[in-house]
Amino acid sequence: MSACDTCIVRNRAICAGLEHPEITALSAMGRRRSVSAGEPLIWEDDDSLLVANVIEGVLKLTTSTADGREQIVGVAYPSDFIGRPFGQTSAASVVALTDARVCVFARNDFDRFAREHPELEHKLLERTLAELDRTRAWMMLLGRKSAPEKIATFLLDMSERLADNGCMAHTGPARQFTLPFSRQQVADLLGLTIETVSRQFTRLKADGVVALPGRRDVEILDRSALELLAG
């Protein structure tokens, strides 16, 4: 039995549409890799040498200014695809926010396999368009939403992305979850100050919308109220 046959995100990852012989061939190309929290997997502007499926954990995509300031431009969750297929350089660094496991492929091998299997190319296109939609929604959040709306939208998104669905189809958002971000990282993501983020979390807790049992732990108590706040 190949690693792909036992993969916990097999039915949600980019390779979901492949038949058994194709999965076997893809499995022979890939290798599992563990990445510790804080460890980089891909560097911005380096040659694009690898692509990967996220199996477990959360990773951040970042870009940096010339003076070293970092901006988180994306987050990868289990079943997400990371790296730059059909590209020569990496547009962003990829660093583990939590301990993570990924299935890594040499980019040249993956490109060749994708060209030979239209189903995989189709999945790549679907993922690219979905990521474009998420980016547009994030632009709206950053540009037009107020601080309470940003925090509410962020928590609703986290409850969706951090739901523990294993290899099964989506079964609904999580009511309780642990954020992979510090308060400062949440502030950076949403274009807010850390003080504003802390005030908004405190207000949501005081209003009975969420409970905060730990520094990064969140329990949604009133989802309807959170959705209303998100606009």
Side-chain angles (χ1 to χ4, degrees), residues 142-185:
L142 293 177
R144 296 298 180 185
K145 289 196 171 186
S146 65
E149 290 172 330
K150 287 180 178 181
I151 293 295
T153 301
F154 170 75
L155 291 178
L156 289 171
D157 185 55
M158 289 297 97
S159 75
E160 292 279 353
R161 299 307 303 269
L162 297 175
D164 184 13
N165 295 310
C167 64
M168 303 305 292
H170 187 66
T171 57
R175 187 172 185 267
Q176 293 180 282
F177 50 91
T178 299
L179 293 172
F181 309 101
S182 67
R183 294 291 173 89
Q184 184 60 64
Q185 288 172 325

Side-chain angles (χ1 to χ4, degrees), residues 166-208:
C167 64
M168 303 305 292
H170 187 66
T171 57
R175 187 172 185 267
Q176 293 180 282
F177 50 91
T178 299
L179 293 172
F181 309 101
S182 67
R183 294 291 173 89
Q184 184 60 64
Q185 288 172 325
V186 174
D188 293 342
L189 270 171
L190 300 178
L192 302 171
T193 65
I194 188 172
E195 293 81 9
T196 298
V197 170
S198 295
R199 281 197 301 270
Q200 295 303 321
F201 272 95
T202 300
R203 180 174 297 174
L204 288 172
K205 179 181 178 180
D207 291 343

Side-chain angles (χ1 to χ4, degrees), residues 66-206:
D67 60 3
R69 287 173 293 164
E70 178 188 276
Q71 176 64 48
I72 299 175
V73 294
V75 183
Y77 301 90
S79 81
D80 282 350
F81 184 78
I82 52 179
R84 186 67 177 269
F86 310 113
Q88 297 302 312
T89 59
S90 300
S93 296
V94 180
V95 180
L97 278 170
T98 67
D99 290 345
R101 285 199 305 145
V102 295
C103 186
V104 176
F105 305 92
R107 198 264 302 171
N108 286 335
D109 292 342
F110 185 87
D111 288 358
R112 182 170 57 253
F113 187 89
R115 290 189 184 98
E116 295 169 353
H117 297 84
E119 299 89 348
L120 190 60
E121 280 196 314
H122 182 71
K123 284 288 186 181
L124 275 173
L125 177 60
E126 285 183 339
R127 290 295 177 103
T128 301
L129 293 174
E131 185 63 30
L132 179 59
D133 288 341
R134 282 194 293 268
T135 300
R136 287 169 172 164
W138 202 256
M139 288 173 64
M140 170 63 78
L141 178 147
L142 293 177
R144 296 298 180 185
K145 289 196 171 186
S146 65
E149 290 172 330
K150 287 180 178 181
I151 293 295
T153 301
F154 170 75
L155 291 178
L156 289 171
D157 185 55
M158 289 297 97
S159 75
E160 292 279 353
R161 299 307 303 269
L162 297 175
D164 184 13
N165 295 310
C167 64
M168 303 305 292
H170 187 66
T171 57
R175 187 172 185 267
Q176 293 180 282
F177 50 91
T178 299
L179 293 172
F181 309 101
S182 67
R183 294 291 173 89
Q184 184 60 64
Q185 288 172 325
V186 174
D188 293 342
L189 270 171
L190 300 178
L192 302 171
T193 65
I194 188 172
E195 293 81 9
T196 298
V197 170
S198 295
R199 281 197 301 270
Q200 295 303 321
F201 272 95
T202 300
R203 180 174 297 174
L204 288 172
K205 179 181 178 180

Side-chain angles (χ1 to χ4, degrees), residues 29-105:
M29 290 168 42
R31 61 184 177 89
R32 298 288 180 93
R33 176 173 169 181
S34 296
V35 189
S36 300
E39 181 182 348
L41 181 66
I42 296 172
W43 286 105
E44 180 184 6
D45 294 329
D46 274 5
D47 292 341
S48 179
L49 300 178
L50 61 86
V51 295
N53 275 328
V54 181
I55 302 171
E56 294 177 356
V58 181
L59 301 96
K60 64 178 179 178
L61 284 68
T62 67
T63 60
S64 299
T65 60
D67 60 3
R69 287 173 293 164
E70 178 188 276
Q71 176 64 48
I72 299 175
V73 294
V75 183
Y77 301 90
S79 81
D80 282 350
F81 184 78
I82 52 179
R84 186 67 177 269
F86 310 113
Q88 297 302 312
T89 59
S90 300
S93 296
V94 180
V95 180
L97 278 170
T98 67
D99 290 345
R101 285 199 305 145
V102 295
C103 186
V104 176
F105 305 92

